Amino acid sequence: MAERISGYAARFNSETTIAGEFREMLAPGCFARTLRDNPDVVMLFDHDSGRVLGRTTANTLSLREDSSGLWFDLDPDPTTPSGMEAIGTVRRGDIRGCSFGFRVRSEEWQDGGNRLPLRIIRDVDLAECTLTAFPAYGDTSATFRVATRNDVAERVKAKAEAAMKARGITP
């Protein structure tokens, strides 16, 4: 049985305050272009590029946008120190949230009146998602589960189909 970590790396239409300077909200669809055009995204531990937990092009991380936000499913390697730490801290509930690293391509600013201004992010270049104890958006999530045999079979099938697609073969 494979150990998995999954959840929401980002949620749409949820406000957070950034550095006490402005409010920020992610618009539905802001990840769609990146996921379509440049799907090489890594999952890190606490934004540390030396602690890679998974990668979309290695089929150890899958990402999808749905009506709630950016969903992820991670296959951490339990034979690596970072993989063991991710599994242990998420399973115990010490780490329950996520963050993400990105470059804004399109945004809209709204005057906050007597509140902080609001930045609505419409499109991003997504580079990484991260497991963290201190997410900027408090409604993100990361949960641990053990995959069933059906989950494992589906993942193997998806990896094979992705490899065939990358070689120009239609499954």
Side-chain angles (χ1 to χ4, degrees), residues 74-97:
L74 173 67
D75 180 11
D77 184 349
T79 68
T80 65
S82 294
M84 286 189 311
E85 186 175 9
I87 291 166
T89 56
V90 172
R91 181 180 359 184
R92 287 176 14 146
D94 298 331
I95 300 234
R96 296 185 295 250

mmCIF file with all atom_site columns, all heavy atoms in Angstrom, residues 74-97:
data_model
loop_
_atom_site.group_PDB
_atom_site.id
_atom_site.type_symbol
_atom_site.label_atom_id
_atom_site.label_alt_id
_atom_site.label_comp_id
_atom_site.label_asym_id
_atom_site.label_entity_id
_atom_site.label_seq_id
_atom_site.pdbx_PDB_ins_code
_atom_site.Cartn_x
_atom_site.Cartn_y
_atom_site.Cartn_z
_atom_site.occupancy
_atom_site.B_iso_or_equiv
_atom_site.pdbx_formal_charge
_atom_site.auth_seq_id
_atom_site.auth_comp_id
_atom_site.auth_asym_id
_atom_site.auth_atom_id
_atom_site.pdbx_PDB_model_num
ATOM 1   N N   . LEU A 1 74 ? 0.041  13.785 -3.874 1.00 0.00 ? 74 LEU A N   1
ATOM 2   C CA  . LEU A 1 74 ? 1.482  13.591 -3.802 1.00 0.00 ? 74 LEU A CA  1
ATOM 3   C C   . LEU A 1 74 ? 1.812  12.158 -3.414 1.00 0.00 ? 74 LEU A C   1
ATOM 4   O O   . LEU A 1 74 ? 1.206  11.598 -2.502 1.00 0.00 ? 74 LEU A O   1
ATOM 5   C CB  . LEU A 1 74 ? 2.065  14.573 -2.770 1.00 0.00 ? 74 LEU A CB  1
ATOM 6   C CG  . LEU A 1 74 ? 3.541  14.423 -2.420 1.00 0.00 ? 74 LEU A CG  1
ATOM 7   C CD1 . LEU A 1 74 ? 4.426  14.776 -3.611 1.00 0.00 ? 74 LEU A CD1 1
ATOM 8   C CD2 . LEU A 1 74 ? 3.873  15.307 -1.214 1.00 0.00 ? 74 LEU A CD2 1
ATOM 9   N N   . ASP A 1 75 ? 2.802  11.598 -4.099 1.00 0.00 ? 75 ASP A N   1
ATOM 10  C CA  . ASP A 1 75 ? 3.340  10.275 -3.794 1.00 0.00 ? 75 ASP A CA  1
ATOM 11  C C   . ASP A 1 75 ? 4.733  10.474 -3.200 1.00 0.00 ? 75 ASP A C   1
ATOM 12  O O   . ASP A 1 75 ? 5.732  10.405 -3.903 1.00 0.00 ? 75 ASP A O   1
ATOM 13  C CB  . ASP A 1 75 ? 3.406  9.447  -5.082 1.00 0.00 ? 75 ASP A CB  1
ATOM 14  C CG  . ASP A 1 75 ? 3.947  8.058  -4.875 1.00 0.00 ? 75 ASP A CG  1
ATOM 15  O OD1 . ASP A 1 75 ? 4.087  7.614  -3.728 1.00 0.00 ? 75 ASP A OD1 1
ATOM 16  O OD2 . ASP A 1 75 ? 4.257  7.404  -5.895 1.00 0.00 ? 75 ASP A OD2 1
ATOM 17  N N   . PRO A 1 76 ? 4.828  10.780 -1.895 1.00 0.00 ? 76 PRO A N   1
ATOM 18  C CA  . PRO A 1 76 ? 6.143  11.049 -1.296 1.00 0.00 ? 76 PRO A CA  1
ATOM 19  C C   . PRO A 1 76 ? 6.976  9.779  -1.192 1.00 0.00 ? 76 PRO A C   1
ATOM 20  O O   . PRO A 1 76 ? 6.439  8.692  -1.005 1.00 0.00 ? 76 PRO A O   1
ATOM 21  C CB  . PRO A 1 76 ? 5.801  11.598 0.085  1.00 0.00 ? 76 PRO A CB  1
ATOM 22  C CG  . PRO A 1 76 ? 4.472  10.998 0.401  1.00 0.00 ? 76 PRO A CG  1
ATOM 23  C CD  . PRO A 1 76 ? 3.759  10.840 -0.915 1.00 0.00 ? 76 PRO A CD  1
ATOM 24  N N   . ASP A 1 77 ? 8.287  9.930  -1.332 1.00 0.00 ? 77 ASP A N   1
ATOM 25  C CA  . ASP A 1 77 ? 9.202  8.790  -1.260 1.00 0.00 ? 77 ASP A CA  1
ATOM 26  C C   . ASP A 1 77 ? 9.589  8.547  0.195  1.00 0.00 ? 77 ASP A C   1
ATOM 27  O O   . ASP A 1 77 ? 10.339 9.325  0.781  1.00 0.00 ? 77 ASP A O   1
ATOM 28  C CB  . ASP A 1 77 ? 10.443 9.079  -2.100 1.00 0.00 ? 77 ASP A CB  1
ATOM 29  C CG  . ASP A 1 77 ? 11.399 7.901  -2.166 1.00 0.00 ? 77 ASP A CG  1
ATOM 30  O OD1 . ASP A 1 77 ? 11.232 6.921  -1.403 1.00 0.00 ? 77 ASP A OD1 1
ATOM 31  O OD2 . ASP A 1 77 ? 12.329 7.957  -2.993 1.00 0.00 ? 77 ASP A OD2 1
ATOM 32  N N   . PRO A 1 78 ? 9.109  7.453  0.793  1.00 0.00 ? 78 PRO A N   1
ATOM 33  C CA  . PRO A 1 78 ? 9.407  7.198  2.207  1.00 0.00 ? 78 PRO A CA  1
ATOM 34  C C   . PRO A 1 78 ? 10.850 6.774  2.459  1.00 0.00 ? 78 PRO A C   1
ATOM 35  O O   . PRO A 1 78 ? 11.248 6.610  3.612  1.00 0.00 ? 78 PRO A O   1
ATOM 36  C CB  . PRO A 1 78 ? 8.424  6.082  2.581  1.00 0.00 ? 78 PRO A CB  1
ATOM 37  C CG  . PRO A 1 78 ? 8.162  5.380  1.301  1.00 0.00 ? 78 PRO A CG  1
ATOM 38  C CD  . PRO A 1 78 ? 8.240  6.428  0.220  1.00 0.00 ? 78 PRO A CD  1
ATOM 39  N N   . THR A 1 79 ? 11.651 6.620  1.397  1.00 0.00 ? 79 THR A N   1
ATOM 40  C CA  . THR A 1 79 ? 13.056 6.242  1.584  1.00 0.00 ? 79 THR A CA  1
ATOM 41  C C   . THR A 1 79 ? 13.967 7.461  1.659  1.00 0.00 ? 79 THR A C   1
ATOM 42  O O   . THR A 1 79 ? 15.169 7.306  1.860  1.00 0.00 ? 79 THR A O   1
ATOM 43  C CB  . THR A 1 79 ? 13.545 5.307  0.458  1.00 0.00 ? 79 THR A CB  1
ATOM 44  O OG1 . THR A 1 79 ? 13.584 6.033  -0.778 1.00 0.00 ? 79 THR A OG1 1
ATOM 45  C CG2 . THR A 1 79 ? 12.656 4.076  0.329  1.00 0.00 ? 79 THR A CG2 1
ATOM 46  N N   . THR A 1 80 ? 13.417 8.663  1.487  1.00 0.00 ? 80 THR A N   1
ATOM 47  C CA  . THR A 1 80 ? 14.219 9.883  1.585  1.00 0.00 ? 80 THR A CA  1
ATOM 48  C C   . THR A 1 80 ? 13.907 10.599 2.900  1.00 0.00 ? 80 THR A C   1
ATOM 49  O O   . THR A 1 80 ? 12.790 10.498 3.410  1.00 0.00 ? 80 THR A O   1
ATOM 50  C CB  . THR A 1 80 ? 13.932 10.851 0.418  1.00 0.00 ? 80 THR A CB  1
ATOM 51  O OG1 . THR A 1 80 ? 12.574 11.309 0.518  1.00 0.00 ? 80 THR A OG1 1
ATOM 52  C CG2 . THR A 1 80 ? 14.156 10.176 -0.927 1.00 0.00 ? 80 THR A CG2 1
ATOM 53  N N   . PRO A 1 81 ? 14.868 11.342 3.442  1.00 0.00 ? 81 PRO A N   1
ATOM 54  C CA  . PRO A 1 81 ? 14.586 12.077 4.683  1.00 0.00 ? 81 PRO A CA  1
ATOM 55  C C   . PRO A 1 81 ? 13.412 13.051 4.541  1.00 0.00 ? 81 PRO A C   1
ATOM 56  O O   . PRO A 1 81 ? 12.557 13.109 5.428  1.00 0.00 ? 81 PRO A O   1
ATOM 57  C CB  . PRO A 1 81 ? 15.893 12.825 4.962  1.00 0.00 ? 81 PRO A CB  1
ATOM 58  C CG  . PRO A 1 81 ? 16.945 11.984 4.302  1.00 0.00 ? 81 PRO A CG  1
ATOM 59  C CD  . PRO A 1 81 ? 16.275 11.440 3.062  1.00 0.00 ? 81 PRO A CD  1
ATOM 60  N N   . SER A 1 82 ? 13.342 13.788 3.444  1.00 0.00 ? 82 SER A N   1
ATOM 61  C CA  . SER A 1 82 ? 12.239 14.740 3.270  1.00 0.00 ? 82 SER A CA  1
ATOM 62  C C   . SER A 1 82 ? 10.910 14.023 3.109  1.00 0.00 ? 82 SER A C   1
ATOM 63  O O   . SER A 1 82 ? 9.887  14.474 3.636  1.00 0.00 ? 82 SER A O   1
ATOM 64  C CB  . SER A 1 82 ? 12.497 15.646 2.064  1.00 0.00 ? 82 SER A CB  1
ATOM 65  O OG  . SER A 1 82 ? 13.616 16.472 2.308  1.00 0.00 ? 82 SER A OG  1
ATOM 66  N N   . GLY A 1 83 ? 10.907 12.919 2.379  1.00 0.00 ? 83 GLY A N   1
ATOM 67  C CA  . GLY A 1 83 ? 9.675  12.140 2.218  1.00 0.00 ? 83 GLY A CA  1
ATOM 68  C C   . GLY A 1 83 ? 9.184  11.581 3.542  1.00 0.00 ? 83 GLY A C   1
ATOM 69  O O   . GLY A 1 83 ? 7.994  11.646 3.858  1.00 0.00 ? 83 GLY A O   1
ATOM 70  N N   . MET A 1 84 ? 10.108 11.039 4.336  1.00 0.00 ? 84 MET A N   1
ATOM 71  C CA  . MET A 1 84 ? 9.734  10.511 5.655  1.00 0.00 ? 84 MET A CA  1
ATOM 72  C C   . MET A 1 84 ? 9.189  11.626 6.541  1.00 0.00 ? 84 MET A C   1
ATOM 73  O O   . MET A 1 84 ? 8.203  11.438 7.244  1.00 0.00 ? 84 MET A O   1
ATOM 74  C CB  . MET A 1 84 ? 10.935 9.857  6.343  1.00 0.00 ? 84 MET A CB  1
ATOM 75  C CG  . MET A 1 84 ? 11.308 8.515  5.766  1.00 0.00 ? 84 MET A CG  1
ATOM 76  S SD  . MET A 1 84 ? 12.555 7.612  6.739  1.00 0.00 ? 84 MET A SD  1
ATOM 77  C CE  . MET A 1 84 ? 13.815 8.826  7.009  1.00 0.00 ? 84 MET A CE  1
ATOM 78  N N   . GLU A 1 85 ? 9.838  12.802 6.500  1.00 0.00 ? 85 GLU A N   1
ATOM 79  C CA  . GLU A 1 85 ? 9.387  13.919 7.326  1.00 0.00 ? 85 GLU A CA  1
ATOM 80  C C   . GLU A 1 85 ? 8.004  14.405 6.887  1.00 0.00 ? 85 GLU A C   1
ATOM 81  O O   . GLU A 1 85 ? 7.144  14.687 7.725  1.00 0.00 ? 85 GLU A O   1
ATOM 82  C CB  . GLU A 1 85 ? 10.391 15.064 7.262  1.00 0.00 ? 85 GLU A CB  1
ATOM 83  C CG  . GLU A 1 85 ? 10.055 16.195 8.194  1.00 0.00 ? 85 GLU A CG  1
ATOM 84  C CD  . GLU A 1 85 ? 11.112 17.279 8.212  1.00 0.00 ? 85 GLU A CD  1
ATOM 85  O OE1 . GLU A 1 85 ? 12.044 17.255 7.387  1.00 0.00 ? 85 GLU A OE1 1
ATOM 86  O OE2 . GLU A 1 85 ? 10.976 18.172 9.064  1.00 0.00 ? 85 GLU A OE2 1
ATOM 87  N N   . ALA A 1 86 ? 7.787  14.478 5.576  1.00 0.00 ? 86 ALA A N   1
ATOM 88  C CA  . ALA A 1 86 ? 6.475  14.907 5.072  1.00 0.00 ? 86 ALA A CA  1
ATOM 89  C C   . ALA A 1 86 ? 5.387  13.930 5.513  1.00 0.00 ? 86 ALA A C   1
ATOM 90  O O   . ALA A 1 86 ? 4.349  14.344 6.034  1.00 0.00 ? 86 ALA A O   1
ATOM 91  C CB  . ALA A 1 86 ? 6.505  15.023 3.547  1.00 0.00 ? 86 ALA A CB  1
ATOM 92  N N   . ILE A 1 87 ? 5.633  12.655 5.340  1.00 0.00 ? 87 ILE A N   1
ATOM 93  C CA  . ILE A 1 87 ? 4.656  11.640 5.745  1.00 0.00 ? 87 ILE A CA  1
ATOM 94  C C   . ILE A 1 87 ? 4.379  11.740 7.245  1.00 0.00 ? 87 ILE A C   1
ATOM 95  O O   . ILE A 1 87 ? 3.225  11.778 7.680  1.00 0.00 ? 87 ILE A O   1
ATOM 96  C CB  . ILE A 1 87 ? 5.143  10.224 5.370  1.00 0.00 ? 87 ILE A CB  1
ATOM 97  C CG1 . ILE A 1 87 ? 5.128  10.051 3.844  1.00 0.00 ? 87 ILE A CG1 1
ATOM 98  C CG2 . ILE A 1 87 ? 4.300  9.147  6.056  1.00 0.00 ? 87 ILE A CG2 1
ATOM 99  C CD1 . ILE A 1 87 ? 5.892  8.835  3.345  1.00 0.00 ? 87 ILE A CD1 1
ATOM 100 N N   . GLY A 1 88 ? 5.424  11.805 8.040  1.00 0.00 ? 88 GLY A N   1
ATOM 101 C CA  . GLY A 1 88 ? 5.261  11.841 9.490  1.00 0.00 ? 88 GLY A CA  1
ATOM 102 C C   . GLY A 1 88 ? 4.557  13.088 9.990  1.00 0.00 ? 88 GLY A C   1
ATOM 103 O O   . GLY A 1 88 ? 3.636  12.999 10.808 1.00 0.00 ? 88 GLY A O   1
ATOM 104 N N   . THR A 1 89 ? 4.944  14.254 9.504  1.00 0.00 ? 89 THR A N   1
ATOM 105 C CA  . THR A 1 89 ? 4.363  15.491 10.023 1.00 0.00 ? 89 THR A CA  1
ATOM 106 C C   . THR A 1 89 ? 2.930  15.708 9.544  1.00 0.00 ? 89 THR A C   1
ATOM 107 O O   . THR A 1 89 ? 2.110  16.253 10.285 1.00 0.00 ? 89 THR A O   1
ATOM 108 C CB  . THR A 1 89 ? 5.228  16.721 9.677  1.00 0.00 ? 89 THR A CB  1
ATOM 109 O OG1 . THR A 1 89 ? 5.417  16.779 8.265  1.00 0.00 ? 89 THR A OG1 1
ATOM 110 C CG2 . THR A 1 89 ? 6.575  16.664 10.376 1.00 0.00 ? 89 THR A CG2 1
ATOM 111 N N   . VAL A 1 90 ? 2.613  15.261 8.331  1.00 0.00 ? 90 VAL A N   1
ATOM 112 C CA  . VAL A 1 90 ? 1.226  15.388 7.855  1.00 0.00 ? 90 VAL A CA  1
ATOM 113 C C   . VAL A 1 90 ? 0.349  14.335 8.549  1.00 0.00 ? 90 VAL A C   1
ATOM 114 O O   . VAL A 1 90 ? -0.761 14.635 8.976  1.00 0.00 ? 90 VAL A O   1
ATOM 115 C CB  . VAL A 1 90 ? 1.144  15.290 6.319  1.00 0.00 ? 90 VAL A CB  1
ATOM 116 C CG1 . VAL A 1 90 ? -0.304 15.234 5.852  1.00 0.00 ? 90 VAL A CG1 1
ATOM 117 C CG2 . VAL A 1 90 ? 1.864  16.472 5.674  1.00 0.00 ? 90 VAL A CG2 1
ATOM 118 N N   . ARG A 1 91 ? 0.849  13.113 8.682  1.00 0.00 ? 91 ARG A N   1
ATOM 119 C CA  . ARG A 1 91 ? 0.066  12.064 9.354  1.00 0.00 ? 91 ARG A CA  1
ATOM 120 C C   . ARG A 1 91 ? -0.278 12.469 10.784 1.00 0.00 ? 91 ARG A C   1
ATOM 121 O O   . ARG A 1 91 ? -1.395 12.271 11.240 1.00 0.00 ? 91 ARG A O   1
ATOM 122 C CB  . ARG A 1 91 ? 0.842  10.746 9.373  1.00 0.00 ? 91 ARG A CB  1
ATOM 123 C CG  . ARG A 1 91 ? 0.078  9.630  10.038 1.00 0.00 ? 91 ARG A CG  1
ATOM 124 C CD  . ARG A 1 91 ? 0.811  8.307  10.087 1.00 0.00 ? 91 ARG A CD  1
ATOM 125 N NE  . ARG A 1 91 ? 2.103  8.407  9.457  1.00 0.00 ? 91 ARG A NE  1
ATOM 126 C CZ  . ARG A 1 91 ? 2.934  7.392  9.280  1.00 0.00 ? 91 ARG A CZ  1
ATOM 127 N NH1 . ARG A 1 91 ? 2.624  6.209  9.689  1.00 0.00 ? 91 ARG A NH1 1
ATOM 128 N NH2 . ARG A 1 91 ? 4.086  7.555  8.697  1.00 0.00 ? 91 ARG A NH2 1
ATOM 129 N N   . ARG A 1 92 ? 0.669  13.076 11.493 1.00 0.00 ? 92 ARG A N   1
ATOM 130 C CA  . ARG A 1 92 ? 0.425  13.494 12.883 1.00 0.00 ? 92 ARG A CA  1
ATOM 131 C C   . ARG A 1 92 ? -0.421 14.761 12.976 1.00 0.00 ? 92 ARG A C   1
ATOM 132 O O   . ARG A 1 92 ? -0.914 15.103 14.044 1.00 0.00 ? 92 ARG A O   1
ATOM 133 C CB  . ARG A 1 92 ? 1.751  13.770 13.585 1.00 0.00 ? 92 ARG A CB  1
ATOM 134 C CG  . ARG A 1 92 ? 2.515  12.533 13.911 1.00 0.00 ? 92 ARG A CG  1
ATOM 135 C CD  . ARG A 1 92 ? 3.870  12.782 14.513 1.00 0.00 ? 92 ARG A CD  1
ATOM 136 N NE  . ARG A 1 92 ? 4.126  14.124 14.988 1.00 0.00 ? 92 ARG A NE  1
ATOM 137 C CZ  . ARG A 1 92 ? 4.877  14.405 16.044 1.00 0.00 ? 92 ARG A CZ  1
ATOM 138 N NH1 . ARG A 1 92 ? 5.428  13.430 16.728 1.00 0.00 ? 92 ARG A NH1 1
ATOM 139 N NH2 . ARG A 1 92 ? 5.095  15.652 16.402 1.00 0.00 ? 92 ARG A NH2 1
ATOM 140 N N   . GLY A 1 93 ? -0.554 15.486 11.881 1.00 0.00 ? 93 GLY A N   1
ATOM 141 C CA  . GLY A 1 93 ? -1.318 16.732 11.898 1.00 0.00 ? 93 GLY A CA  1
ATOM 142 C C   . GLY A 1 93 ? -0.489 17.951 12.264 1.00 0.00 ? 93 GLY A C   1
ATOM 143 O O   . GLY A 1 93 ? -1.032 19.033 12.475 1.00 0.00 ? 93 GLY A O   1
ATOM 144 N N   . ASP A 1 94 ? 0.825  17.792 12.349 1.00 0.00 ? 94 ASP A N   1
ATOM 145 C CA  . ASP A 1 94 ? 1.688  18.939 12.629 1.00 0.00 ? 94 ASP A CA  1
ATOM 146 C C   . ASP A 1 94 ? 1.713  19.894 11.439 1.00 0.00 ? 94 ASP A C   1
ATOM 147 O O   . ASP A 1 94 ? 1.798  21.102 11.618 1.00 0.00 ? 94 ASP A O   1
ATOM 148 C CB  . ASP A 1 94 ? 3.119  18.481 12.934 1.00 0.00 ? 94 ASP A CB  1
ATOM 149 C CG  . ASP A 1 94 ? 3.190  17.605 14.178 1.00 0.00 ? 94 ASP A CG  1
ATOM 150 O OD1 . ASP A 1 94 ? 2.345  17.769 15.078 1.00 0.00 ? 94 ASP A OD1 1
ATOM 151 O OD2 . ASP A 1 94 ? 4.098  16.758 14.256 1.00 0.00 ? 94 ASP A OD2 1
ATOM 152 N N   . ILE A 1 95 ? 1.649  19.342 10.244 1.00 0.00 ? 95 ILE A N   1
ATOM 153 C CA  . ILE A 1 95 ? 1.556  20.133 9.014  1.00 0.00 ? 95 ILE A CA  1
ATOM 154 C C   . ILE A 1 95 ? 0.196  19.817 8.417  1.00 0.00 ? 95 ILE A C   1
ATOM 155 O O   . ILE A 1 95 ? -0.110 18.662 8.127  1.00 0.00 ? 95 ILE A O   1
ATOM 156 C CB  . ILE A 1 95 ? 2.684  19.773 8.029  1.00 0.00 ? 95 ILE A CB  1
ATOM 157 C CG1 . ILE A 1 95 ? 4.021  20.052 8.668  1.00 0.00 ? 95 ILE A CG1 1
ATOM 158 C CG2 . ILE A 1 95 ? 2.457  20.444 6.686  1.00 0.00 ? 95 ILE A CG2 1
ATOM 159 C CD1 . ILE A 1 95 ? 4.979  20.907 7.981  1.00 0.00 ? 95 ILE A CD1 1
ATOM 160 N N   . ARG A 1 96 ? -0.614 20.874 8.240  1.00 0.00 ? 96 ARG A N   1
ATOM 161 C CA  . ARG A 1 96 ? -1.965 20.692 7.712  1.00 0.00 ? 96 ARG A CA  1
ATOM 162 C C   . ARG A 1 96 ? -2.259 21.606 6.545  1.00 0.00 ? 96 ARG A C   1
ATOM 163 O O   . ARG A 1 96 ? -3.361 21.569 6.005  1.00 0.00 ? 96 ARG A O   1
ATOM 164 C CB  . ARG A 1 96 ? -2.990 20.962 8.810  1.00 0.00 ? 96 ARG A CB  1
ATOM 165 C CG  . ARG A 1 96 ? -2.941 20.008 9.961  1.00 0.00 ? 96 ARG A CG  1
ATOM 166 C CD  . ARG A 1 96 ? -4.058 20.265 10.940 1.00 0.00 ? 96 ARG A CD  1
ATOM 167 N NE  . ARG A 1 96 ? -3.927 21.569 11.566 1.00 0.00 ? 96 ARG A NE  1
ATOM 168 C CZ  . ARG A 1 96 ? -3.615 21.768 12.827 1.00 0.00 ? 96 ARG A CZ  1
ATOM 169 N NH1 . ARG A 1 96 ? -3.427 20.749 13.618 1.00 0.00 ? 96 ARG A NH1 1
ATOM 170 N NH2 . ARG A 1 96 ? -3.517 22.981 13.309 1.00 0.00 ? 96 ARG A NH2 1
ATOM 171 N N   . GLY A 1 97 ? -1.303 22.454 6.171  1.00 0.00 ? 97 GLY A N   1
ATOM 172 C CA  . GLY A 1 97 ? -1.578 23.437 5.129  1.00 0.00 ? 97 GLY A CA  1
ATOM 173 C C   . GLY A 1 97 ? -0.537 23.460 4.041  1.00 0.00 ? 97 GLY A C   1
ATOM 174 O O   . GLY A 1 97 ? 0.476  22.758 4.098  1.00 0.00 ? 97 GLY A O   1
#
